[in-house]
Amino acid sequence: MTQRIKLYKQPAGGWGALKSSLKHISEQGILQKGIATLLHSNQPDGFDCPGCAWPDRNHHSTFEFCENGVKAVAAEATKRTVDAAFFEKHSVAWLAEQDDYFLESQGRLTEPMVYDAASGHYQPIAWDDAFALVARELNALDHPDQALFYTSGRTSNEAAFLYQLFAREFGTNNLPDCSNMCHEPSGVGMSEAIGVGKGTVTLDDFTQAEAIFIFGQNPGTNHPRMLGELRAAAKRGCRIVVFNPLKERGLERFTDPQSPVEMLTGGATELASLYFQPRIGGDLAVVKGIIKVLLETDALDRNFIAAHTDGFDALREEVLAETWPALEESSGLTEAQIREAAAVYAASNATICTWGMGITQHRHSVATIQMIVNLLLLKGNIGKSGAGACPVRGHSNVQGDRTMGINEKPAAAFLDKLGAAFDFAPPREHGHDVVGAIEAMFAGEGKVFFAMGGNFATATPDTERTHQALRNCRLTVHVTTKLNRSHLVHGEQALILPCLGRTEIDRQAGGVQGVTVEDSMSMVHISTGMNAPASNQLLSEPAIVAHLAAATLPQSKTPWLWLVEDYDRIRDKIAEVVDGFADFNARVHVPGGFYLGNAAREQRWRTAGARARLISHPLPDRQRFETKLGDGPLFNLMTVRSHDQYNTTVYGLDDRYRGVFGHRRVCFINKQDLARIGMQAGQWVDMTSLWDDGERVAKRFLLVEYDIPEGCLASYFPETNSLVPLSNVADKARTPASKSIPVRLSHAL
């Protein structure tokens, strides 16, 4: 594949998105099947897109998918397969030398496989033997807490509920999940401030907002369907204010592929009314500066503050004490720029604040989120139409998994109801999150690692340490649809258990089944596959959990295999245990599903004082490592996705909007920084991260000149995950600080 750097001048979406979509369907050899499948994506009688968690606007529209959704569906519906012959031909050692794009592009896994240490290859294993192997290793542990049960965000509500039930009947709350690596700070920060860890808006609010403030988010790549909402808002006069270190095309202008006028005329809609580029991690100072302007000009909703909040006087005193030079230095913006943004916020009667992982993956992420919540509360922008907090989640059911109890720190009330519904005593001691799970495995205290989806070895920080941790295990197990790096970084024993995809027909004893998911805005709806399974040996995720539980817990009172004969039975049990799911089966079969509700949206504050809390925080310390750096200037590196990527899945080697083609080992850098360090775009460099426990090096990255603030760098993950120290985590939330890594550059050898 030709490698080149070429400026992309077109808007987001448009013909470029259509061309890319057709290319990915064609590459999988499913042009006719792929188009037919996509027409059932996000439809009332179809399947929920296995990509992002952005909600569906029109359940009666034929086209409810985006470019990234096309890539996800095409990859799942592919005609390519990875069978026993593939593993007989390729050893684990050889596969480990291939890149992530190669591994994922090989196709769908077709049968359960077990690692054979003598040959170094995976070999076929019968399902019953696989379940017996896992059961034997689990029951041989000295304590249930030596087992770790990881969950990815694509797991359905039904599978997640059974999975957490199994883990807790087994005796542990070790339920790390992908939320630990992305929006954990949103849940922690919002729960402390307003009593709810979920977003308070619905799609209807986007049609009524007078202003939308976007922090640390790139919807053009990560949530392309959001661009349609932003386009509609911009066209009706809503002011869209963006804060993002990188200039991102999907935040600048967008051509709607469903707009004949824009497509035929080459037109586009300008999205951002104002686009500011704070330095990486500068958002807390930005928001604090906006609040300072609101306080100085008394642009507040004092009635709301008096009726609904605590902490105003302390917040006011702390914010007004900040100096503008300090705010400018911390944010990377000028006082004039912050005042310009504040003027838009002050003039708006209804404002939405949205954010992504550009906010959550910092040490001070919880503090930043609470400052954003402060901003909303000071003008009464929670609990009214067109306004609210909108953390934009990643994978399609990452929020639903948490609702179903995938949480290493479960609430006592949830455990009480779970124990009553299934007649057992759930464990009460908190379990390991993702970082804790890695630490436990590294120390030899975690012996069995079971992953329900995902690509743990690649998604996690501190790659070398994480890989060693997994290799320390007695057994690693991965439930998955496709081959990935995690299957090659394994314990003494290893299993790959292939499951049905979201697009495939799930037939159990009670007939064809649908599963449910919850989107970013708390809408719950059903998903039913339409394609024949890639192999007759695939099992559904709920069935895998049920068979595993039946093999491991022979004395369990739970009728595991009976429950998965008809998923309505699982949903009836969910209704008994999980708040908001009364009459689950009746409500979810209504086209479009149902809204779970949100107490904060109703201005009911589930906090200790039954009032929303205004919580202040100091500016973050940016000087920690400057005196320790021995060779060259210090940069702040953020890891990002390419456009041909979703989470750890690499669909291709292009990043169209940023003008990168055929590359992944690139480092985006400011023009002035290139001159300052005496380097040029096109040179190859090594990156070295600096931390208390030593240095980490990632080799050979191509310097690419880009519109990014001075002192800041950006590069793709997972290639730079090795630079993220395991102990560099968010305060209170322990999310890896992958958006703020102190690094230096050196010439590559």
Side-chain angles (χ1 to χ4, degrees):
M1 181 177 292
T2 303
Q3 295 184 340
R4 59 193 172 96
I5 306 296
K6 183 179 180 181
L7 179 65
Y8 187 76
K9 300 180 180 180
Q10 303 303 312
W15 292 108
L18 289 181
K19 181 180 178 181
S20 172
S21 298
L22 185 62
K23 169 179 172 287
H24 283 275
I25 296 173
S26 299
E27 284 179 347
Q28 300 301 328
I30 55 164
L31 186 57
Q32 184 175 353
K33 174 186 176 183
I35 293 173
T37 303
L38 286 165
L39 293 178
H40 284 77
S41 179
N42 300 319
Q43 299 299 310
D45 60 346
F47 62 90
D48 189 77
C49 177
C52 77
W54 189 256
D56 308 329
R57 162 61 62 189
N58 183 358
H59 286 276
H60 301 288
S61 166
T62 303
F63 300 100
E64 279 294 321
F65 55 85
C66 65
E67 179 184 351
N68 268 10
V70 171
K71 295 170 186 174
V73 169
E76 183 174 293
T78 180
K79 72 174 184 179
R80 302 173 184 172
T81 57
V82 175
D83 56 13
F86 175 91
F87 286 109
E88 184 178 6
K89 179 179 180 181
H90 301 301
S91 69
V92 169
W94 184 87
L95 289 169
E97 295 175 353
Q98 312 311 307
D99 63 24
D100 295 288
Y101 174 52
F102 173 87
L103 296 176
E104 300 249 9
S105 66
Q106 297 310 297
R108 291 290 302 280
L109 293 157
T110 60
E111 56 190 302
M113 307 295 294
V114 62
Y115 177 67
D116 177 62
S119 66
H121 289 248
Y122 274 102
Q123 297 180 349
I125 184 173
W127 276 108
D128 286 347
D129 292 337
F131 294 132
L133 171 58
V134 181
R136 184 168 60 250
E137 290 300 327
L138 287 174
N139 288 322
L141 296 174
D142 297 330
H143 191 280
D145 285 337
Q146 291 179 330
L148 302 151
F149 297 97
Y150 175 75
T151 318
S152 87
R154 66 169 294 277
T155 305
S156 70
N157 287 330
E158 290 73 17
F161 183 77
L162 290 185
Y163 191 52
Q164 63 81 30
L165 173 63
F166 165 62
R168 291 182 169 118
E169 283 203 27
F170 180 68
T172 185
N173 283 314
N174 284 343
L175 285 158
D177 73 325
C178 57
S179 287
N180 294 148
M181 292 185 284
C182 57
H183 269 284
E184 193 74 47
S186 298
V188 171
M190 293 173 66
S191 293
E192 288 184 353
I194 60 175
V196 174
K198 299 180 181 182
T200 66
V201 302
T202 68
L203 274 186
D204 286 342
D205 289 312
F206 278 80
T207 69
Q208 301 173 64
E210 295 181 13
I212 300 172
F213 277 52
I214 302 175
F215 297 92
Q217 184 192 357
N218 178 21
T221 288
N222 300 329
H223 311 89
R225 283 192 296 151
M226 183 179 178
L227 296 182
E229 299 298 330
L230 297 178
R231 173 181 178 270
K235 281 187 168 296
R236 63 175 176 77
C238 177
R239 303 294 302 278
I240 298 174
V241 182
V242 172
F243 300 93
N244 198 307
L246 291 167
K247 267 295 177 73
E248 300 286 19
R249 187 56 45 83
L251 290 166
E252 295 178 293
R253 60 188 192 275
F254 171 59
T255 296
D256 187 351
Q258 296 190 49
S259 169
V261 173
E262 287 189 347
M263 293 295 286
L264 293 175
T265 63
T269 300
E270 299 293 327
L271 298 182
S273 307
L274 297 172
Y275 199 126
F276 300 110
Q277 294 176 263
R279 61 167 46 101
I280 293 170
D283 302 270
L284 191 155
V286 169
V287 181
K288 206 168 188 181
I290 295 174
I291 291 175
K292 183 178 175 72
V293 176
L294 298 181
L295 292 170
E296 291 173 345
T297 59
D298 199 29
L300 309 170
D301 186 337
R302 289 194 172 272
N303 290 333
F304 180 92
I305 292 169
H308 293 284
T309 72
D310 283 332
F312 174 74
D313 290 340
L315 175 68
R316 182 181 186 279
E317 180 180 356
E318 204 275 343
V319 171
L320 289 178
E322 290 287 3
T323 67
W324 280 110
L327 291 168
E328 289 181 320
E329 168 62 22
S330 185
S331 69
L333 301 183
T334 65
E335 177 183 347
Q337 289 174 312
I338 294 174
R339 287 188 179 277
E340 188 177 12
V344 174
Y345 186 79
S348 170
N349 293 310
T351 302
I352 293 171
C353 288
T354 81
W355 64 89
M357 287 190 290
I359 295 298
T360 64
Q361 291 184 329
H362 295 273
R363 290 184 70 86
H364 56 282
S365 57
V366 171
T368 302
I369 289 161
Q370 290 181 342
M371 200 61 68
I372 293 172
V373 173
N374 290 340
L375 179 65
L376 290 166
L377 291 170
L378 288 174
K379 274 185 64 68
N381 277 316
I382 293 182
K384 69 180 179 183
S385 297
C390 182
V392 182
R393 310 281 177 170
H395 241 144
S396 64
N397 199 41
V398 61
Q399 185 161 299
D401 287 350
R402 274 298 172 90
T403 303
M404 292 296 107
I406 300 294
N407 192 334
E408 78 282 359
K409 297 177 181 178
F414 174 85
L415 294 180
D416 290 343
K417 295 179 76 172
L418 186 71
F422 291 94
D423 194 16
F424 80 109
R428 299 285 166 160
E429 184 176 351
H430 288 171
H432 290 305
D433 58 13
V434 164
V435 170
I438 297 169
E439 292 170 339
M441 290 185 288
F442 191 80
E445 298 167 1
K447 299 183 181 298
V448 173
F449 177 81
F450 193 106
M452 183 60 66
N455 185 355
F456 189 87
T458 298
T460 42
D462 219 338
T463 305
E464 184 175 337
R465 178 166 295 197
T466 296
H467 285 192
Q468 184 58 55
L470 288 166
R471 293 188 175 108
N472 286 348
C473 289
R474 173 67 181 163
L475 171 67
T476 52
V477 186
H478 295 275
V479 177
T480 185
T481 58
K482 304 185 76 177
L483 182 67
N484 65 46
R485 179 73 51 194
S486 293
H487 310 146
L488 313 175
V489 183
H490 54 77
E492 296 175 42
Q493 303 172 89
L495 287 167
I496 303 174
L497 305 181
C499 65
L500 293 171
R502 191 75 62 77
T503 62
E504 292 172 319
I505 298 170
D506 180 355
R507 189 179 299 278
Q508 302 297 331
V512 174
Q513 305 297 312
V515 296
T516 61
V517 297
E518 178 187 345
D519 63 34
S520 274
M521 297 180 188
S522 300
M523 290 294 299
V524 179
H525 50 276
I526 201 156
S527 172
T528 306
M530 57 168 289
N531 291 332
S535 163
N536 60 11
Q537 293 198 56
L538 303 183
L539 294 182
S540 72
E541 287 181 323
I544 289 173
V545 176
H547 281 276
L548 175 61
T552 307
L553 305 171
Q555 305 304 315
S556 172
K557 299 174 184 177
T558 300
W560 297 99
L561 300 183
W562 177 83
L563 284 171
V564 294
E565 290 179 356
D566 185 337
Y567 295 172
D568 281 356
R569 297 169 181 172
I570 305 173
R571 288 188 280 271
D572 283 340
K573 300 302 288 186
I574 291 172
E576 283 186 47
V577 175
V578 184
D579 291 342
F581 283 83
D583 299 321
F584 190 4
N585 276 310
R587 295 160 70 201
V588 80
H589 287 288
V590 175
F594 64 93
Y595 178 55
L596 274 178
N598 184 290
R601 179 180 177 84
E602 300 167 8
Q603 297 184 352
R604 293 184 292 110
W605 317 106
R606 293 178 176 172
T607 59
R611 293 166 70 86
R613 299 176 61 208
L614 295 162
I615 307 171
S616 188
H617 296 276
L619 298 177
D621 178 15
R622 297 181 56 248
Q623 312 301 321
R624 181 177 178 190
F625 294 100
E626 289 190 0
T627 59
K628 297 183 180 181
L629 188 64
D631 182 22
L634 184 70
F635 291 92
N636 199 8
L637 170 70
M638 62 187 292
T639 67
V640 297
R641 296 169 178 160
S642 78
H643 192 62
D644 271 358
Q645 174 183 358
Y646 194 75
N647 292 342
T648 59
T649 303
V650 178
Y651 298 116
L653 299 179
D654 294 345
D655 192 357
R656 186 171 76 250
Y657 296 154
R658 297 188 184 115
V660 178
F661 301 89
H663 287 267
R664 282 197 58 82
R665 299 189 75 83
V666 299
C667 175
F668 298 103
I669 185 170
N670 180 282
K671 180 179 180 179
Q672 301 304 318
D673 283 329
L674 284 171
R676 179 164 62 99
I677 63 177
M679 293 186 180
Q680 297 179 340
Q683 287 186 284
W684 293 89
V685 297
D686 296 338
M687 288 188 276
T688 302
S689 69
L690 186 69
W691 200 244
D692 295 329
D693 60 356
E695 297 181 344
R696 294 160 175 80
V697 181
K699 293 185 176 295
R700 289 196 62 79
F701 288 80
L702 184 76
L703 290 175
V704 176
E705 182 184 317
Y706 203 78
D707 192 351
I708 185 173
E710 291 184 49
C712 300
L713 305 174
S715 189
Y716 303 133
F717 71 82
E719 289 81 358
T720 50
N721 283 359
S722 59
L723 298 173
V724 185
L726 191 63
S727 59
N728 185 12
V729 296
D731 296 334
K732 294 187 177 182
R734 289 171 52 85
T735 297
S738 301
K739 293 289 188 290
S740 189
I741 313 165
V743 301
R744 64 171 179 246
L745 302 180
S746 59
H747 291 280
L749 299 178

